Amino acid sequence: MTDEALEIISVPDDTPALLRTAGAVLGRGSLVVTWALLIGVFAATNGAMFLQAGTFQTIFSSPVHLVFLSLALVVVFVVGEFDLSVSANMGLAGTLTALLSVNHGIDPWLSSLIAIVAAAGVGAINAVLIVLVEVNAIVVTLGMGTLLGGVSLWLTDLNTVQGLTPSFTGAFNGALGGLSHSFYFGLAATVLVAYVLAKTPLGLRMSFVGTNREVARLAGVPVRRIRIGAYVVSGVFCGIAGVVLAASLGGYDPATSQLYLLPAFAAVFLGTAAIQPGRFNALGAVIAIYFLQTGIVGLQLAGVTSWIQDAFYGGSLVLAVTISTLIRRRVRT
């Protein structure tokens, strides 16, 4: 299937090249344009508060953990899989990072590595149950998410763990060009995933598996290995997300883990309207994260109370799934 066939806006063959190019750009960049319009609205209505350096630092630096969490979802969605345990897996990693370092005196970098390995192990368990045992993915990951949430609360005895060393947190929260170091970590990871999915044979095989698993198998693609690998890599990204979040907070509260599931899903589905319309893609998901964050911060600065975050993410998820469904339907016709 060609890239032109994936555009949201269909253009007849006899349309001038300039208009065809404009239609392609609009199809791929519609979310970016909407984001720019949103910024313009907030600037016009509340410019004194919105147009400050601190506002944009908050928008770009605070949701970096969601960048990694969204990448975890993109990797499994691309191969046609599903995972409801990503936020709880991130929570386990965040809990282990803080708990091992603060309560047990282990070097925070070693604690982080242990946490990431543990999260990858959770991804591997999901893969075995779903790919090899062939248990329904929703059942497995929903149950795994609930289990991990309980384990994290048990490990911390229902308490928040605080006290990560400043040298460790500073490696993530320190500023470069007005933005946190973790922002650049997330940007690098996004570019890497986008490159692998779009420009490498592995990415092509992953998309092939996600499009038609049986045809991919008959074509000689190692379908099972790719599906298992996707869950393990997803677990790694969950682990990194947990480390980044724990570092940004100086600790971790395991009771908050499930709060991050809805934003990640909203971003990934909304991201199918950008860059590669109709496809799950890393760049689109990250653009969607910052689009959503801009909306929430702008509304909060305008005086809307804290309930707007849940309402905005919930409404965005419904809208995003609707848009994704319509785009996919348009692509198939």
Side-chain angles (χ1 to χ4, degrees):
M1 185 177 293
T2 64
D3 289 340
E4 288 80 3
L6 295 174
E7 303 301 337
I8 300 176
I9 299 176
S10 179
V11 185
D13 290 338
D14 58 352
T15 302
L18 181 61
L19 291 181
R20 292 180 63 84
T21 301
V25 171
L26 182 59
R28 294 176 182 274
S30 57
L31 184 59
V32 177
V33 173
T34 306
W35 185 17
L37 291 174
L38 184 65
I39 292 174
V41 169
F42 288 136
T45 58
N46 192 24
M49 296 186 67
F50 186 78
L51 294 177
Q52 296 181 12
T55 300
F56 290 95
Q57 288 170 354
T58 299
I59 289 172
F60 286 101
S61 295
S62 59
V64 177
H65 58 284
L66 289 178
V67 170
F68 288 102
L69 202 60
S70 295
L71 293 178
L73 285 174
V74 167
V75 169
V76 293
F77 284 175
V78 164
V79 300
E81 295 296 333
F82 196 78
D83 195 345
L84 287 169
S85 67
V86 288
S87 61
N89 201 6
M90 178 192 74
L92 176 67
T95 299
L96 288 174
T97 300
L99 186 70
L100 294 176
S101 178
V102 176
N103 290 10
H104 299 280
I106 299 176
D107 179 83
W109 293 105
L110 179 57
S111 299
S112 300
L113 179 60
I114 294 171
I116 293 171
V117 171
V122 171
I125 294 173
N126 283 340
V128 168
L129 294 175
I130 294 167
V131 179
L132 300 183
V133 184
E134 299 184 348
V135 183
N136 182 276
I138 295 178
V139 174
V140 170
T141 57
L142 179 61
M144 181 63 74
T146 306
L147 172 63
L148 294 178
V151 169
S152 297
L153 291 170
W154 167 65
L155 289 173
T156 60
D157 197 23
L158 307 180
N159 294 317
T160 300
V161 181
Q162 289 287 344
L164 285 169
T165 60
S167 61
F168 176 73
T169 58
F172 295 88
N173 301 332
L176 177 63
L179 298 173
S180 68
H181 295 163
S182 59
F183 167 79
Y184 298 101
F185 300 156
L187 182 62
T190 301
V191 172
L192 175 62
V193 173
Y195 176 79
V196 170
L197 293 180
K199 300 295 183 180
T200 68
L202 174 60
L204 179 61
R205 292 189 184 100
M206 291 174 69
S207 297
F208 196 5
V209 170
T211 301
N212 194 317
R213 192 177 297 167
E214 184 59 23
V215 173
R217 185 185 66 80
L218 293 174
V221 176
V223 174
R224 281 192 170 187
R225 278 191 289 170
I226 287 177
R227 293 170 65 198
I228 291 171
Y231 276 109
V232 174
V233 172
S234 175
V236 171
F237 279 126
C238 290
I240 297 173
V243 172
V244 169
L245 184 56
S248 68
L249 299 174
Y252 196 75
D253 179 4
T256 64
S257 297
Q258 289 302 322
L259 298 178
Y260 304 107
L261 183 62
L262 189 62
F265 267 81
V268 171
F269 278 97
L270 189 58
T272 61
I275 311 301
Q276 293 178 292
R279 296 182 180 180
F280 294 109
N281 67 94
L283 293 176
V286 172
I287 290 171
I289 287 172
Y290 292 118
F291 167 79
L292 294 170
Q293 184 72 4
T294 300
I296 290 171
V297 171
L299 290 172
Q300 288 177 340
L301 289 175
V304 181
T305 54
S306 58
W307 59 263
I308 191 60
Q309 182 163 321
D310 289 338
F312 197 80
Y313 277 134
S316 297
L317 178 59
V318 174
L319 179 63
V321 173
T322 302
I323 291 173
S324 178
T325 301
L326 293 174
I327 291 174
R328 287 171 178 272
R329 187 177 299 165
R330 182 68 173 269
V331 167
R332 293 192 183 102
T333 57

